[in-house]
Structure formats: C-alpha cells, structure tokens
C-alpha cells in the first residue's frame, strides 16, 4: 500500500493504544501525521491564526472536488492545489528563483480584483476554468466588487445591457452559505471561500459553482469516488503543500497526452520543510502489469537532470499505480527543472 496509508494506519494505531484518537481525527482529512511533521514544521503550523487556517485548508481541499460522474464535469478534470500559508512560511528556505515561480503559480487561480492575496491561505484550480481561494473574506465586500460598475465581471456577464444606464444587479442567490453572482461567469463568495467559474464550459457557470459547493457536503460524492485514477494517486500523499494531479476519465472519454499512451494519470506533489523538501511523483496505468513493467523507474533514470538531485527515489507499485518518493534540500527545490534553481526554473511542469 502507498507510504502515506501505512504512515496513517501506524499513527492511528498508536493513538488507539494511548487513548488519544480524537487528537488524530484530522489525519483522516489529510492533516499531517506525527511521523511526517518535523519540530520546526510543528511550530510553523500551530503558532499563528493564519497557520491554523492553513491546516484547515489542507484538511479540506479534496472536499471541494466534485465527483465528475454526478456533476456537469462528466469527463473528469485536472487539479492544482497550493497550501499558500505553509509555502509562505518557508520563503526564506526556498531559493528566490524557485519561490518566485511558486508564488506566481499558487496565486494565479485568484483574481486580485475581488479578494486580497494576503487573506488567502490556499488555492485550488480545476481545469483552468474554475478557481477557488480559501481563507478569510468579507463576502459583502467581495459582492460589492463583483457588481461594481468598473468590475470586469460586470461586462463579462449577460446581465449588463447595451444601454447607457446599467441595470442594477439583482440580490445574490443564497446557496449553502454562499452568495452567488453571474450567469456565464459564475461567482460564489462566503466568509472562508471565493469561487469563480469562467464561461469556457458549456452550461451555466452557477451550476458548476453549485457542484463544487455541493462536494463539501454529505449530499454528493467527491472526485476520488468517481475516478479510480484520482483515488489511487491521492492515496500517495498526506497534507501536500503543492500538488498537480491530471487524470484521464475512467471511462476513456478523455486523453491528456501523457508521455506514454498507457499512462492514465499523473501526480506530483511537494511538502516543504526548513531543511528538506519531500517529493511524491506518481502515475496510473491501464493495468497492473503495465504499472509493474518498470516504465516509471526507466523514466526517472532517463530524466536524471530533473530527478538526480533527489534522494531515495525507489519506485513502488500497487495495482495500476506506480509512485516514488524522494527528498531534496529545500534550498535546492527546483520544480523538477533541469539544473539547480540558481540556473532558473523554466521547464514547464
């Protein structure tokens, strides 16, 4: 079984034996386990209110990902997730070149027109068209920005007429704690989340926003319930700080152009520490035999310029999943670009 599952079960076993199960309940939602948190990380994640919010964001990010089989997203989707507050806490340890690129990636999903970057503790991007910011927000202030005359949202929706006098926005629809705005562009705002949906998808953006909101409730299932590739890849990581996950649809209706036709999903994730940073790199395949064929090990060996700086990259397999874990000094974190971060981190990843 993947390393993170073994660690989690070991931690829960200790908790049961010592009567402290309640203190580890968050692990089931993706919180770091005691075997994975260094003393300096523990101090970082418990010392400030922002860090506390960051811990909640870690626990909850998977809960915002709807099951594609029960939503307007039937073909599945790619995901990028960043624990913004945690990454910021390691800024001094990460090389400036690597941090600058990381900062651009983690804040890219959020329009500064509507929420302030300083209020964000985590971001999630779904297939480049749905963007989620988690943090602490004033939903009324966000709504005023969305509906203001100079907002780009105003001209992007079908509610703005062609006459010189704009029609006032109607009162937002209330939906499970969110204020909903827009039609083609959809927006949802609450005290701890802001969601935007672009009109690049078929259908009403508000329907997509509701599907994402619904995923956090017990009324609908989540991504891992509807895509076995995603479920398998997510099982390899606990509380990542930066994560990319790109699957194909389980029914074969989408192809993402992976380096080999028999790859059906790919994940890479990092968890930062003051001294070392942990990488997880995983693929899913069309069947277990292909996962066990050594394709991933051969790829890692062939890409020594990218993976050579990492220690411990032994490949493991389970059913259709193959994955590897490794560590790198945090000051050398390089986004898997060839060469060290002092040479730049320009390889697309």
């Amino acid at each position: 079984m993947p390393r993170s599952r073994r660690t989690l079960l070991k931690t829960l076993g200790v908790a049961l034996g010592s009567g402290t199960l309640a203190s580890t309940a968050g692990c089931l939602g993706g919180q770091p386990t005691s075997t994975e948190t260094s003393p300096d990380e523990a101090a970082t994640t418990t010392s400030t209110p922002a860090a506390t919010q960051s811990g909640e964001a870690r626990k909850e990010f998977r809960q915002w990902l709807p099951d594609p089989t029960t939503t307007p997203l039937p073909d599945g989707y790619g995901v990028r997730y960043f624990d913004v507050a945690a990454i910021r806490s390691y800024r001094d340890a990460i090389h400036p070149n690597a941090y600058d690129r990381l900062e651009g990636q983690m804040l890219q999903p959020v329009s500064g027109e509507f929420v302030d970057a300083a209020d964000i503790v985590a971001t999630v991007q779904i297939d480049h068209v749905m963007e989620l910011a988690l943090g602490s927000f004033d939903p009324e202030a966000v709504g005023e920005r969305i509906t203001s005359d100079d907002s780009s949202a105003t001209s992007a929706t079908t509610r703005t007429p062609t006459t010189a006098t704009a029609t006032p926005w109607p009162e937002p629809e209330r939906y499970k704690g969110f204020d909903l705005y827009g039609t083609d562009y959809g927006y949802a705002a609450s005290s701890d989340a802001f969601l935007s949906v672009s009109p690049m998808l078929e259908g009403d953006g508000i329907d997509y926003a509701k599907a994402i909101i619904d995923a956090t409730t017990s009324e609908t299932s989540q991504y891992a319930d509807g895509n076995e590739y995603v479920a398998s890849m997510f099982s390899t990581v606990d509380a990542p700080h930066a994560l990319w996950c790109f699957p194909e649809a389980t029914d074969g209706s989408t192809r993402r152009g992976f380096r080999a036709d028999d790859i059906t999903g790919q994940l890479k994730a990092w968890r930062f520490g003051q001294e070392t940073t942990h990488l997880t790199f995983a693929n899913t395949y069309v069947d277990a035999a292909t996962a066990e064929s050594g394709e991933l090990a051969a790829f890692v060996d062939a890409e020594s310029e990218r993976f050579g700086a990492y220690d411990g990259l032994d490949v493991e397999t389970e059913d259709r999943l193959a994955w590897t874990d490794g560590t790198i000094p945090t000051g050398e974190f390089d986004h898997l670009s060839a060469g060290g971060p002092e040479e730049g981190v320009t390889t697309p990843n």
Side-chain angles (χ1 to χ4, degrees):
M1 88 179 40
R3 173 200 55 76
S4 60
R5 288 179 179 173
R6 292 196 296 265
T7 302
L8 176 58
L9 292 174
K10 179 179 179 181
T11 303
L12 291 178
V14 171
L16 286 168
S18 59
T20 58
L21 180 59
S23 66
T24 63
C27 295
L28 294 174
Q31 291 283 52
T33 63
S34 60
T35 57
E36 292 185 320
T37 304
S38 63
D40 54 6
E41 285 182 289
T44 299
T45 56
T46 59
S47 59
T48 67
T52 300
Q53 289 178 316
S54 176
E56 289 301 306
R58 287 194 203 107
K59 181 175 69 174
E60 295 174 358
F61 94 92
R62 292 176 179 86
Q63 299 176 14
W64 293 93
L65 305 177
D67 177 351
T69 66
T70 59
T71 70
L73 306 165
D75 294 336
Y77 50 87
V79 176
R80 295 203 303 174
Y81 163 73
F82 298 93
D83 185 338
V84 175
I87 292 171
R88 283 172 172 158
S89 73
Y90 294 109
R91 179 168 191 163
D92 291 342
I94 300 172
H95 191 283
N97 288 344
Y99 186 86
D100 286 348
R101 183 180 182 197
L102 193 59
E103 184 175 47
Q105 290 171 327
M106 68 188 186
L107 294 179
Q108 181 181 0
V110 182
S111 172
E113 183 178 4
F114 303 126
V115 296
D116 296 327
D119 297 329
I120 297 169
V121 299
T123 61
V124 182
Q125 184 167 357
I126 300 176
D127 255 10
H128 306 288
V129 292
M130 287 165 282
E131 301 166 346
L132 171 69
L134 302 175
S136 180
F137 312 115
D138 180 346
E140 292 187 5
V142 173
E144 289 175 359
R145 294 174 183 175
I146 292 171
T147 59
S148 67
D149 290 341
D150 58 353
S151 167
S152 62
T154 303
S155 60
T157 66
T158 59
R159 293 181 179 173
T160 301
T162 57
T163 58
T165 303
T167 301
W169 281 67
E171 287 297 311
E173 178 184 353
R174 292 290 295 170
Y175 187 77
K176 298 182 180 179
F178 282 80
D179 295 333
L180 304 181
Y181 302 87
T183 50
D184 292 339
Y185 271 94
Y187 301 91
S190 74
S191 61
D192 54 14
F194 172 71
L195 173 66
S196 64
V197 182
S198 84
M200 294 176 63
L201 296 172
E202 294 182 3
D204 193 325
I206 293 299
D207 289 339
Y208 290 93
K210 288 180 177 179
I212 295 170
I213 295 168
D214 287 345
T216 66
T217 73
S218 60
E219 299 172 17
T220 187
S221 53
Q222 296 169 354
Y223 203 173
D225 299 311
N227 188 299
E228 60 191 83
Y229 306 140
V230 169
S232 185
M233 290 185 288
F234 277 179
S235 74
T236 66
V237 291
D238 288 327
H241 292 154
L243 174 145
W244 287 252
C245 183
F246 298 97
E248 293 179 358
T250 305
D251 64 5
S253 57
T254 60
R255 302 287 293 179
R256 294 187 178 272
F258 296 115
R259 64 180 182 269
D261 289 341
D262 49 15
I263 294 175
T264 56
Q266 186 173 102
L267 174 143
K268 60 182 176 183
W270 284 273
R271 181 172 176 82
F272 299 97
Q274 290 294 344
E275 300 298 328
T276 59
T277 288
H278 184 102
L279 165 72
T280 298
F281 193 93
N283 286 338
T284 53
Y285 294 87
V286 292
D287 51 41
T290 307
E292 296 171 358
S293 69
E295 192 279 338
L296 179 57
F299 173 71
V300 170
D301 289 342
E303 295 289 330
S304 59
E305 288 188 351
R306 299 172 61 197
F307 291 93
Y310 289 82
D311 293 328
L313 291 176
D314 296 325
V315 173
E316 299 183 63
T317 63
E318 180 182 280
D319 194 24
R320 294 197 284 181
L321 172 72
W323 78 99
T324 185
D325 292 291
T327 59
I328 190 172
T330 297
E332 298 177 20
F333 163 69
D334 55 5
H335 296 262
L336 286 182
S337 294
E342 70 279 354
E343 299 177 16
V345 285
T346 57
T347 301
N349 282 293

